[in-house]
Amino acid sequence: MRLSQWREKYNRYINKSSIKQKFSFVTFGTFSILLLLNCAFMEIKDLANIRTATIEGLEAVATNISFRSGSALNLDDRAVVEENLRVSKGLDYIDQICIYDTNGNVYSRLAKRASALVFCPVYSDVNQSVLGWFKVKISAPIQFENKTVGLVFIEADLGHLYWGQLNVLYCLLGILAGASVFTYLLSLYLNKNIILPIGRLVQTLKKISIDKNYELRAQKSNNDEVGLLIDTFNNMLATVDRQNKALVEARNRYLLLFDDNPSMIFNIDEEGGIISVNKFGARQLSQTANRLHGFSLFDFVHPDDRNEMRHILNMCAAELDKVHKLELRLICVDKKVIWVRGAIRSTRQTNGKVNILLVCEDITETRKLNEKISHQARHDELTGLLNRSEFDRQIQQALLSAHNNRTEYALCYLDLDQFKVVNDTCGHIAGDELLRQLGALLKKQIRQDDLLARLGGDEFGILMRGCLLSQAYNACEKIRNAVQNFQFAWEDRLFRVGVSIGIASINSISGNSIESLKEADAACYAAKEKGRNRVHVFRPNDQELASRQGEMQWVEKIQQGIINNRFCLYGQPIVPIDGREEGLHFETLIRYQDAEGHIIPPGAFLTAAERYNLASELDKWVISTLFEWMAKRPGFIENLAMCSVNLSGLSLSDETMLDFISEQFNKWRIPTHCICFEITETAAIASLSNATHFIRTLKQQGCFFSLDDFGSGLSSFAYLKNLPVDYLKIDGLFVKDIVDDKVDLAMVRSINEVGHVMDKKTIAEFVENDEILDILKQLGVDYAQGYGIGKPVPLAQL
C-alpha cells in the first residue's frame, strides 16, 4: 500500500471521528509519542552513562590491581597477585583479567564468567585499551619503584548490561500499548490517572538530570501500569545510584592514594607549568593544591638549581618515556628550603601535547644527617678542628699543588708541654676542656687560609699555604708565646702549659704526606729534646733529626720483625773465675737479620724500641722464643746452670709482663731456677717500686735476678739495699781499663766488696784479655764475661 493511500485512509477516518474520539486520539497519540520519545532518550542516555561509568570502573579496577600488584609481582608472590584479582569479584560483566610479567608471559588469570572460555591474548595485542560499545579491553602497566614490572589486562562484555536496559524499554512499550487501549476507552479517566503521574515522573527525571542526585525517587500514585513504570524507573535509579556510589568510592580510593601518597607528585607541562599536584606535595610547599594551579615549578626551584631543572626538562622533551633522576632544592611559600630527590618522566598525550610527571620525596633530614656525618668524619669531636685523616688528605692536596704549581707550604707539628700534669691532677674532663680552649686559641693565631687540626692526644698540626720557612718560624714563635702566656683555670687552680713546635717545608721536591709528617714530627721531637717550649725547623742536613728519623724507620722494622721472626738469639758465656765447673752459664742476646741475611747488632734498634714503647713486646718475643728453643733441645736444660735474659725498664712497668712470664714457664716447663733476669741499674732506679715488686714476685717462683751495668747510676749503693737481686754485673766501662786506671780498679774493688757484704755474687763485663782476668781473680770477683772469655754466638753453637 502506497503512502498516499495511507494518508487518504487516515483523513477519511479523522473526518468521520467525533470530537471526543479526536481528543482521545490526539491525547493518546501525543502522550504515546512523547512517552515513547522520552523513554528512548532516557534509555539511550542511560546506556551511554552506563557505558561511561562501567569503563571508568574498569579503569579504576585496572589501576587498583596495578598499584596493589607491583610489589608482589616484583617479589614473585603469586598468592598476593591472585588475591588482588579478587577485588573485582562483584563486577560480573568482566569476562577475564590477565596479569603479564615483564617478559610478556601470562603470570596470573581470573575468568569472571562461565562463558569466558577464551584465553589471555598475546602480550603484543594488549598494550593499548580498546573501548567498544560491547567489548571493552583495558590495559594498565604495573610499576614498582618507578619501574614497569608487568601489565594488567581486563576484558569485559557490556552486552548484558544493555540487554538489561532494553528489558526496561520492553516493559515501557508494553505499558504504552496497554495505556493506548485504556486511553482510547477512558480518555478522561486516563488523563487524570496517567498523564499527571507521568508528568510528575518527567519532573523527577528533569531534577535528576539537573542535580545529578540519583537518590531521588518518582512518587507512585496507583498500582497500575504507570505505577509499575514508576517502580521500574525507581529500580533503575537505585541500580544507577549503586553503580554511581561504587564509582565514587573507587574514585575516592584513587584520590586517597594520589593525594595522601607520602610523595610529592607534580603534573607539569614542557615549560614547567604546574597542571596538577597532589595534596601532600602542596602541603610540602606550604600551599594548597588549587592555589598552585597556574604557577610554574620554577617559582619554587632554588635559583642555584634552575639551570639543572631546565636541562632535565629539555632531556624529558627529547627522550619521551625515559625516567630521569634529579636531586635539587625547593623554596616553599614560607621561604623554607627543602631538598628533594625524585624521578621525572614525559609522555605524549593523544592531542600531541607532552605531559611530564614528576615524583619526588623530601630528603632534607637525610641531607642534614649526611652533612653532619661528613662533618664528623672530617673533624675532631672534642675540639671541632680537622681530624688526622682529613689533615692527611689536605697534606696530599698541598703536595699535589706544590708539585704542579710550585706552591710552597709549611707543615707545623705541635706537641703540648706539661699537658699530662693537668690530666693527672684534675682528670680527663679538665684535660678535654684545656684542649678545647687551646684549640680555640690556636685558631685565632693562624691566617684564614691556614688549616688547623688535632692529630690526637695533645698534638696539633698546622698547614700554612704560601709560607716560607722563615715566615712559618715567626708565626710559630707567635703561637708559642700565645700558648705560654695562656692560663688555664680549673676549679681553684691555675695551670700554664707550653708547646714544642716542629716545622717542615712542603715544596716541589717533597716526598709523600707520611714523609712530610715524619719530618715535622722529628723537628718537634728535637724541640722537646732541646728543653721543650721552643720551635725547631727541619733541615735535610740536621744530624740530630737524621738520627731521629733513623729511629723512626726502625719502628716498622721492629714491628714486622716480631711478626715475621726477623730477630734471632745469640748467647755469650759467663764463666766462674775460680775455674770451678757449674755447667753452662750464658747471657741471651738479640740480633736482627735483614732481608739480605746480614746480622745487625742491638745497638742499632734497641734505642728506637725503648723510645717508641716497643721494648716490652721485644722482651716477650725473646722470652717465648728462648723458652721454646730450650724446651725443644733434648738434654740442654739438664746441662744448663743459668741463662740470663735481659728485661727493659718498660717491661718492669708492663702490667701484663708477670702473667706472660708465668704462662711461658708453664707452657714450656722451663725450671725457674735456671733463669736469671737482668735489669739495668738505671731502669731499676727510675721505677724503684715497680722494679722491687717485679723482682720479688718472680723470685718467689724461683727465678734469679741480676743488676746490669752496676756503677753507672752514681747513687747505686743507696738503692742496692732495696733491690733483692742475686748478681751484680759490674759496668764494663770500669772493668776494661782496670789494668792501667787505678780509679777504675778502685771502683771495681769497692763494688765487688759491697756486693759480697750484701751476699750477692759479682760478674765483671768487658773481660777482653788474661791480664784483666787475673786482676779480677785477685779481687775475688765471682764471674767473668767478655770477648776474652767468649764472643756471642748463635744459641745452637753454645
Side-chain angles (χ1 to χ4, degrees), residues 84 183 186 205 213 236 358 375 399 406 641 667 675 684 714:
N84 291 337
T183 301
L186 303 170
L205 179 60
N213 182 6
M236 182 182 65
L358 170 62
H375 182 273
L399 286 166
R406 298 192 176 276
K667 179 178 181 181
I675 302 299
L714 299 179

Side-chain angles (χ1 to χ4, degrees), residues 32-208:
S32 299
I33 292 172
L34 288 176
L35 183 60
L36 182 62
L37 292 176
N38 191 38
C39 290
F41 170 76
M42 185 174 63
E43 190 67 16
I44 293 172
K45 183 177 181 180
D46 287 341
L47 289 175
N49 288 340
I50 289 172
R51 177 180 178 272
T52 301
T54 303
I55 291 174
E56 290 178 353
L58 289 171
E59 291 176 343
V61 170
T63 301
N64 186 27
I65 293 174
S66 171
F67 177 80
R68 297 177 59 180
S69 301
S71 175
L73 189 59
N74 185 64
L75 297 174
D76 195 22
D77 194 342
R78 194 177 300 273
V80 174
V81 173
E82 293 177 353
E83 180 64 25
N84 291 337
L85 294 181
R86 297 191 184 97
V87 300
S88 60
K89 181 170 67 173
L91 305 177
D92 55 357
Y93 50 83
I94 294 178
D95 287 343
Q96 65 176 348
I97 303 177
C98 302
I99 300 293
Y100 297 85
D101 59 20
T102 53
N103 298 322
N105 299 321
V106 177
Y107 186 84
S108 181
R109 176 178 180 265
L110 177 66
K112 299 293 292 184
R113 301 174 57 196
S115 59
L117 299 179
V118 296
F119 294 96
C120 293
V122 295
Y123 181 76
S124 59
D125 296 337
V126 298
N127 283 331
Q128 294 183 347
S129 300
V130 178
L131 308 179
W133 269 96
F134 289 92
K135 287 291 185 179
V136 175
K137 299 178 180 180
I138 302 294
S139 64
I142 300 176
Q143 294 186 337
F144 178 74
E145 296 182 349
N146 300 322
K147 182 178 70 174
T148 300
V149 296
L151 182 76
V152 58
F153 171 74
I154 301 177
E155 183 177 5
D157 185 359
L158 307 184
H160 73 285
L161 294 177
Y162 298 156
W163 284 115
Q165 293 300 118
L166 290 177
N167 289 334
V168 175
L169 181 62
Y170 292 154
C171 293
L172 293 177
L173 292 176
I175 294 172
L176 178 62
S180 300
V181 176
F182 284 99
T183 301
Y184 183 74
L185 297 176
L186 303 170
S187 59
L188 295 178
Y189 177 79
L190 294 178
N191 285 337
K192 178 181 179 181
N193 292 280
I194 296 178
I195 296 177
L196 186 60
I198 291 178
R200 289 198 296 267
L201 180 62
V202 172
Q203 292 299 322
T204 302
L205 179 60
K206 286 181 179 180
K207 195 169 184 179
I208 292 173

Side-chain angles (χ1 to χ4, degrees), residues 717 720-721 728 749-762 782:
F717 295 116
L720 189 57
K721 294 187 296 182
L728 295 182
R749 178 185 290 112
S750 61
I751 293 173
N752 182 65
E753 291 176 354
V754 171
H756 286 168
V757 169
M758 300 182 70
D759 198 23
K760 304 180 189 301
K761 295 181 180 180
T762 56
D782 298 302

Side-chain angles (χ1 to χ4, degrees), residues 431-581:
D432 290 347
E433 180 59 28
L434 173 59
L435 290 175
R436 276 192 289 267
Q437 293 185 20
L438 284 176
L441 175 66
L442 294 174
K443 201 167 187 179
K444 293 179 181 178
Q445 305 301 318
I446 63 176
R447 300 174 302 177
Q448 185 175 0
D449 293 337
D450 295 341
L451 297 176
L452 173 63
R454 182 187 176 210
L455 305 182
D458 58 347
E459 298 171 345
F460 296 85
I462 301 175
L463 184 62
M464 300 179 179
R465 179 184 175 88
C467 188
L468 301 176
L469 284 179
S470 57
Q471 297 171 324
Y473 182 86
N474 294 332
C476 288
E477 276 293 335
K478 177 185 173 184
I479 292 173
R480 186 190 63 78
N481 287 326
V483 174
Q484 184 179 11
N485 296 328
F486 173 75
Q487 286 188 335
F488 175 65
W490 185 260
E491 295 178 348
D492 57 346
R493 308 182 66 176
L494 289 176
F495 296 90
R496 286 183 181 273
V497 295
V499 61
S500 299
I501 306 177
I503 307 174
S505 176
I506 295 180
N507 49 46
S508 58
I509 62 174
S510 296
N512 55 37
S513 61
I514 297 177
E515 292 177 355
S516 298
L517 268 175
K518 282 183 178 180
E519 292 174 355
D521 182 28
C524 179
Y525 183 80
K528 282 187 173 293
E529 289 286 294
K530 289 183 177 181
R532 303 177 182 272
N533 194 32
R534 62 187 64 227
V535 179
H536 190 93
V537 178
F538 176 85
R539 306 284 183 187
N541 56 354
D542 193 326
Q543 294 299 322
E544 184 178 355
L545 294 181
S547 174
R548 166 74 166 159
Q549 285 190 305
E551 291 178 359
M552 293 175 65
Q553 292 174 357
W554 266 108
V555 170
E556 183 178 1
K557 289 183 180 179
I558 292 172
Q559 292 172 336
Q560 293 300 318
I562 293 174
I563 296 174
N564 300 320
N565 286 321
R566 305 289 303 185
F567 292 99
C568 54
L569 296 181
Y570 275 54
Q572 186 176 25
I574 300 174
V575 300
I577 293 179
D578 59 7
R580 66 184 182 277
E581 291 292 336

Side-chain angles (χ1 to χ4, degrees), residues 632-778:
K632 294 181 178 180
R633 193 83 170 177
F636 183 84
I637 295 178
E638 288 75 5
N639 296 321
L640 179 65
M642 188 69 65
C643 174
S644 295
V645 181
N646 291 283
L647 292 178
S648 67
L650 293 175
S651 294
L652 301 180
S653 303
D654 189 343
E655 297 178 354
T656 65
M657 183 58 74
L658 286 173
D659 291 337
F660 175 80
I661 293 175
S662 297
E663 290 175 1
Q664 294 301 309
F665 274 122
N666 294 330
K667 179 178 181 181
W668 302 110
R669 300 186 180 279
I670 302 298
T672 56
H673 65 272
C674 293
I675 302 299
C676 178
F677 292 104
E678 289 192 14
I679 58 176
T680 64
E681 174 196 0
T682 53
I685 294 174
S687 182
L688 187 60
S689 60
N690 287 336
T692 304
H693 171 71
F694 192 93
I695 294 171
R696 293 187 185 280
T697 301
L698 287 180
K699 281 182 67 67
Q700 289 175 0
Q701 299 181 25
C703 298
F704 291 87
F705 274 84
S706 175
L707 196 59
D708 197 9
D709 296 337
F710 189 79
S712 61
L714 299 179
S715 57
S716 306
F717 295 116
Y719 291 98
L720 189 57
K721 294 187 296 182
N722 300 315
L723 291 172
V725 296
D726 304 285
Y727 296 89
L728 295 182
K729 294 192 77 170
I730 305 172
D731 194 340
L733 295 177
F734 301 131
V735 175
K736 68 178 183 176
D737 294 326
I738 61 174
V739 175
D740 302 314
D741 194 322
K742 294 181 180 181
V743 175
D744 288 345
L745 178 61
M747 289 292 295
V748 174
R749 178 185 290 112
S750 61
I751 293 173
N752 182 65
E753 291 176 354
V754 171
H756 286 168
V757 169
M758 300 182 70
D759 198 23
K760 304 180 189 301
K761 295 181 180 180
T762 56
I763 303 173
E765 298 180 300
F766 286 21
V767 179
E768 298 178 352
N769 51 56
D770 291 339
E771 292 179 290
I772 297 175
L773 183 62
D774 291 338
I775 295 175
L776 293 175
K777 188 173 184 180
Q778 294 173 12

